[in-house]
Amino acid sequence: DIQMTQSPSSLSAFVGDRVTITCRASQNINKYLNWYQQSPGKAPILLIHVASYLQSGVPSRFTGGGSGTDFTLTISALQPEDSATYYCQQTYSAPTTFGQGTRVE
Amino acid sequence: QVQLVESGGGVVQPGWSLRLSCAASGFTFSTYAMHWVRQTPGKGLEWMTIISYDGSDKKYADSVKGRFSISRDNFRNILSLEMHSLRGEDTAIYYCAKANCNSASCYTIDYWGQGTLVTVSS
């Protein structure tokens, strides 16, 4: 199975800050990488698919980048409602696997 | 709007069986693949199984292959998960989730239910 490793595991930031989360795959996954946001007690929400495509309805302050093994999720100006845990997911090969999550406070 | 409502969770003893259901609405259920994904504090998000739009193709994670079975009723818009020989490590929140395309190779999930908690304990 492809292992997905996120860093950092948690971070604290202020409203308006630029925040970047990294996800590294254990092998080349091309651009088959999604990002999800999960607020406490809620189900995950798809933010970004195929590495950089913003899901409909997601604010433009979220951007995704990368290819191969290294990917990033950037929040350009952090808002209070962005306090959540963020997960990456590879869909390159079965079984699909998720990163362990990055908690943003 | 897309709604996925899981039911059937609860507390069971090791070795018991349980059936989870998911009622889908707000989209054409019969044209999308569907997933079950579980979440635990220790292992995070773990994909379990997928079923194609018409039920003809199914895939399972190794951890549940042979014990869990996914099925769907496209007339009643219901997704189900039969779980047998339950173990303590199956304790988790189980999410029903919609794929963004129709085949059993479609691993991007664009909508998730709120989840149902399954606790396996003696």
Side-chain angles (χ1 to χ4, degrees):
Chain A
D1 298 0
I2 297 176
Q3 305 299 316
M4 306 301 294
T5 303
Q6 290 181 232
S7 60
S9 54
S10 66
L11 65 89
S12 293
F14 294 98
V15 171
D17 282 354
R18 181 183 180 90
V19 168
T20 297
I21 299 167
T22 296
C23 178
R24 176 164 289 176
S26 60
Q27 65 185 73
N28 185 357
I29 59 169
N30 199 327
K31 290 198 168 191
Y32 293 97
L33 191 285
N34 301 327
W35 288 98
Y36 298 88
Q37 176 195 63
Q38 186 176 31
S39 299
K42 299 290 186 67
I45 295 171
L46 178 64
L47 297 176
I48 303 278
H49 57 103
V50 199
S52 60
Y53 289 85
L54 197 66
Q55 177 70 357
S56 176
V58 174
S60 59
R61 64 180 179 273
F62 292 94
T63 57
S67 65
T69 61
D70 294 313
F71 300 86
T72 57
L73 173 69
T74 298
I75 309 172
S76 60
L78 196 67
Q79 299 300 303
E81 59 267 32
D82 299 336
S83 183
T85 300
Y86 294 83
Y87 295 93
C88 61
Q89 175 206 20
Q90 68 81 17
T91 60
Y92 180 78
S93 72
T96 183
T97 47
F98 295 86
Q100 81 281 11
T102 295
R103 185 173 177 181
V104 174
E105 296 178 339
Chain B
Q1 70 281 23
V2 172
Q3 282 201 322
L4 300 167
V5 180
E6 302 93 339
S7 61
V11 180
V12 296
Q13 294 188 12
W16 285 23
S17 298
L18 199 63
R19 182 185 181 96
L20 305 183
S21 295
C22 171
S25 61
F27 66 103
T28 307
F29 180 73
S30 61
T31 62
Y32 289 94
M34 296 293 295
H35 297 264
W36 286 98
V37 179
R38 67 187 181 187
Q39 184 171 32
T40 62
K43 293 187 72 176
L45 290 167
E46 183 185 10
W47 174 80
M48 295 285 93
T49 177
I50 184 173
I51 186 168
S52 63
Y53 71 104
D54 61 355
S56 64
D57 195 10
K58 306 171 186 179
K59 295 177 182 175
Y60 297 91
D62 287 346
S63 58
V64 302
K65 198 175 295 183
R67 297 190 301 125
F68 289 14
S69 178
I70 190 172
S71 61
R72 65 190 299 158
D73 182 337
N74 283 347
F75 294 101
R76 296 192 303 146
N77 292 354
I78 300 286
L79 178 72
S80 298
L81 183 67
E82 289 270 3
M83 303 186 294
H84 301 284
S85 304
L86 284 163
R87 308 164 180 165
E89 55 264 37
D90 295 319
T91 295
I93 296 172
Y94 284 73
Y95 292 102
C96 161
K98 173 186 170 294
N100 71 347
C101 52
N102 63 9
S103 80
S105 298
C106 185
Y107 291 103
T108 292
I109 293 170
D110 56 3
Y111 291 96
W112 302 62
Q114 290 302 305
T116 187
L117 178 62
V118 173
T119 303
V120 183
S121 174
S122 55

